[in-house]
Amino acid sequence: MFCLGRELRAAPLFVAVLAAALPGAATGSEPPWQRLEFQAKKFFLSADAAVEFDSMVSLPAEERCGDGPSLPEAAARIRIESSMLGRRSQSSLWFDAESLKAHIRVQEERGSRNRYKRYTFCQGAVEAERATPNAGEADLPVASWTHRYPLVHEVPAELAAPLSEPSALLHLVGRLAALEAEGGAASRTVPVFSNRQVLAVRIDRHPETTPAMPGFSVAGGPSPEKVTLARFTLTPLAVGSDGRAEDFELLGLEGEIEILAARELQLPVSISGRLPPAGRVTVWLRHVELRGNQ
């Protein structure tokens, strides 16, 4: 049973552990899938989400980090489109697929809530620009919105591992599912920037795996007759006295997250978390597009 209302605290020395966050076996070539389509239904709620992964995409040309180290010209990208509770959202995260280091995240929401957020992950800080439309601007392109304000979020100087972002954990869990369990549950901790703050996310892999029939359709390649499911728990940990673990969010789900991932295709099959006001919700994989021979 999950205790979603509690606020977990990271140990003061957690930053010394984060340098070993990623196993070498989880890095390397791109996953076999290129697009995942999810759906959730509970009571009055219906939600859809699509996740796309590209191994190398150019970063937005206008992005830069002051006088610090320059951003790469291209990086892996996870792109997410979702629709729920009268809101449509599009977000893109450019990141290093091996270290999970985030470079840029851009998000635009339309519908019952209109807002734009851009985060640039620089040396020692995350530089943000946020925008919302003034009266009469809601239907205009974001570039025409006049209520814009910059923000700078400091990053702890003692952080030992690269700062990531929650979307990248979908990639990580898929890669970890391809690894054999080694005598019990494996745990890793990854620092992420979520809802304007740095959090630590502990990823626990449960030792048991479960064979199952695929409950999703497959295009672009043969569908496996069976898949082997590994269970992961993602527990957010607050960093510092002002941190709030419950502010962790992944695909619109909050708090402690549970993921079932298929070893054969290196992808999440279900993602469970808290979605106000519906309570605990499970998002199920419905369709996969594989890379085929491209």
Side-chain angles (χ1 to χ4, degrees):
M1 179 67 67
F2 294 115
C3 298
L4 294 172
R6 63 180 173 165
E7 182 169 312
L8 301 175
R9 295 283 171 192
L13 297 179
F14 90 95
V15 289
V17 181
L18 296 179
L22 291 178
T27 64
S29 61
E30 61 188 0
W33 59 271
Q34 60 181 351
R35 178 179 171 89
L36 309 176
E37 296 178 5
F38 295 90
Q39 187 177 66
K41 290 186 177 181
K42 183 176 181 181
F43 305 131
F44 60 88
L45 171 72
S46 179
D48 296 280
V51 179
E52 297 179 351
F53 178 85
D54 294 290
S55 60
M56 195 61 62
V57 176
S58 297
L59 272 66
E62 70 274 11
E63 299 292 347
R64 57 187 181 276
C65 283
D67 297 329
S70 60
L71 296 174
E73 294 184 359
R77 182 183 67 179
I78 284 183
R79 185 173 182 272
I80 299 175
E81 294 182 355
S82 64
S83 175
M84 67 177 70
L85 300 175
R87 297 197 303 269
R88 303 181 309 278
S89 174
Q90 296 183 12
S91 69
S92 291
L93 169 69
W94 285 263
F95 72 109
D96 184 283
E98 294 191 5
S99 69
L100 296 192
K101 174 179 172 57
H103 299 308
I104 297 170
R105 181 177 184 269
V106 178
Q107 181 177 9
E108 180 179 339
E109 293 185 22
R110 296 282 187 157
S112 60
R113 181 170 61 187
N114 298 285
R115 64 180 181 178
Y116 169 83
K117 297 183 289 185
R118 188 191 74 229
Y119 298 103
T120 305
F121 292 72
C122 299
Q123 184 81 15
V126 178
E127 300 179 3
E129 181 186 25
R130 301 170 69 91
T132 55
N134 282 320
E137 296 178 342
D139 294 330
L140 298 178
V142 168
S144 300
W145 292 357
T146 53
H147 183 213
R148 314 180 75 90
Y149 50 101
L151 294 169
V152 176
H153 305 279
E154 299 296 329
V155 174
E158 65 272 24
L159 204 65
L163 183 60
S164 191
E165 199 273 341
S167 302
L169 301 182
L170 296 172
H171 172 72
L172 173 62
V173 168
R175 302 308 300 271
L176 293 177
L179 300 178
E180 295 289 342
E182 299 178 358
S187 295
R188 293 170 179 83
T189 302
V190 179
V192 302
F193 184 79
S194 180
N195 283 321
R196 309 190 195 188
Q197 64 175 304
V198 176
L199 300 173
V201 178
R202 192 181 71 233
I203 303 173
D204 295 306
R205 174 176 175 156
H206 298 245
E208 301 86 5
T209 57
T210 304
M213 300 295 293
F216 48 85
S217 60
V218 177
S223 175
E225 295 182 1
K226 289 186 178 181
V227 293
T228 307
L229 300 180
R231 186 181 302 274
F232 296 87
T233 302
L234 279 59
T235 305
L237 306 167
V239 176
S241 59
D242 297 328
R244 290 170 49 85
E246 61 265 32
D247 283 345
F248 176 67
E249 182 178 321
L250 177 63
L251 280 188
L253 302 175
E254 301 176 352
E256 201 162 82
I257 304 292
E258 186 174 275
I259 296 178
L260 286 179
R263 175 190 300 167
E264 291 78 4
L265 296 177
Q266 302 177 27
L267 50 76
V269 170
S270 70
I271 306 169
S272 301
R274 178 169 50 87
L275 179 64
R280 193 156 185 86
V281 169
T282 299
V283 179
W284 293 95
L285 179 65
R286 295 304 183 195
H287 182 69
V288 178
E289 292 184 14
L290 300 177
R291 299 186 183 280
N293 296 321
Q294 36 179 2

